[in-house]
Amino acid sequence: MSKAAAFCLRTACLYALWGAAPLIAAEVRPLYAPARPPIVELVREGQAAAVVVLPENAPLEMRHAAKELSAYVRRMSGAELPITSQTPDGPAVILAVQPGLNRPPAGQRPWIGSRGYRLRSDGKTLHVVGADSLSVLYGVYGLLERHLGVRWLW
């Protein structure tokens, strides 16, 4: 082994030892800061208590978002949320597009914040609103991950 290779190997070992010490002693933190849970009951006693509402002729991304939400709630609770285009009288998760939601500042091109979403609850309905249909899909994944505890392990 050459002197340069031996030096690199010793240096890498020292860095590995020094770098690992803080990791061992560090406290474990959640992936995200605690978020206030949406106050809408989706499932009650193993039965769906809410429905997922899509607009008529919803784009592919929004239909996929509704299917993903329903499928993951079913995996967690055993109850599958029905998907409809009619707003019910009871609890609902409403997926909607609001084009001006994350408009970039005047004179600037579209920016990364333009794919943002908003989760809003009024106690009876949970609104997942995005600037476009892809933003709504991101909103559903954000709801699943930050509020409902779903984790994707790659």
Side-chain angles (χ1 to χ4, degrees):
M1 181 182 310
S2 71
K3 287 184 180 183
F7 175 76
C8 288
L9 182 61
R10 279 193 306 269
T11 305
C13 288
L14 288 175
Y15 281 134
L17 289 174
W18 290 337
L23 294 177
I24 294 169
E27 69 178 86
V28 177
R29 296 184 190 178
L31 184 61
Y32 293 108
R36 199 177 93 222
I39 312 298
V40 175
E41 190 174 34
L42 301 178
V43 176
R44 183 182 311 120
E45 297 178 8
Q47 301 296 318
V51 298
V52 180
V53 180
L54 280 173
E56 293 281 336
N57 302 320
L60 176 67
E61 293 89 356
M62 287 181 72
R63 291 193 312 264
H64 182 67
K67 289 177 187 174
E68 287 284 273
L69 178 59
S70 183
Y72 278 99
V73 168
R74 185 187 76 240
R75 289 177 186 172
M76 290 186 289
S77 67
E80 187 167 355
L81 301 179
I83 300 171
T84 181
S85 61
Q86 307 289 326
T87 304
D89 292 334
V93 178
I94 299 175
L95 307 182
V97 171
Q98 183 181 348
L101 182 66
N102 298 313
R103 189 165 286 147
Q108 293 187 12
R109 61 191 169 116
W111 53 302
I112 195 160
S114 65
R115 290 285 187 214
Y117 58 87
R118 181 176 297 152
L119 301 176
R120 187 180 68 226
S121 172
D122 62 12
K124 182 179 164 184
T125 57
L126 173 64
H127 300 267
V128 181
V129 182
D132 58 13
S133 57
L134 190 57
S135 300
V136 173
L137 177 62
Y138 293 162
V140 166
Y141 285 134
L143 171 67
L144 288 168
E145 189 170 14
R146 294 199 70 190
H147 298 282
L148 299 179
V150 173
R151 295 291 182 255
W152 290 273
L153 303 175
W154 307 105

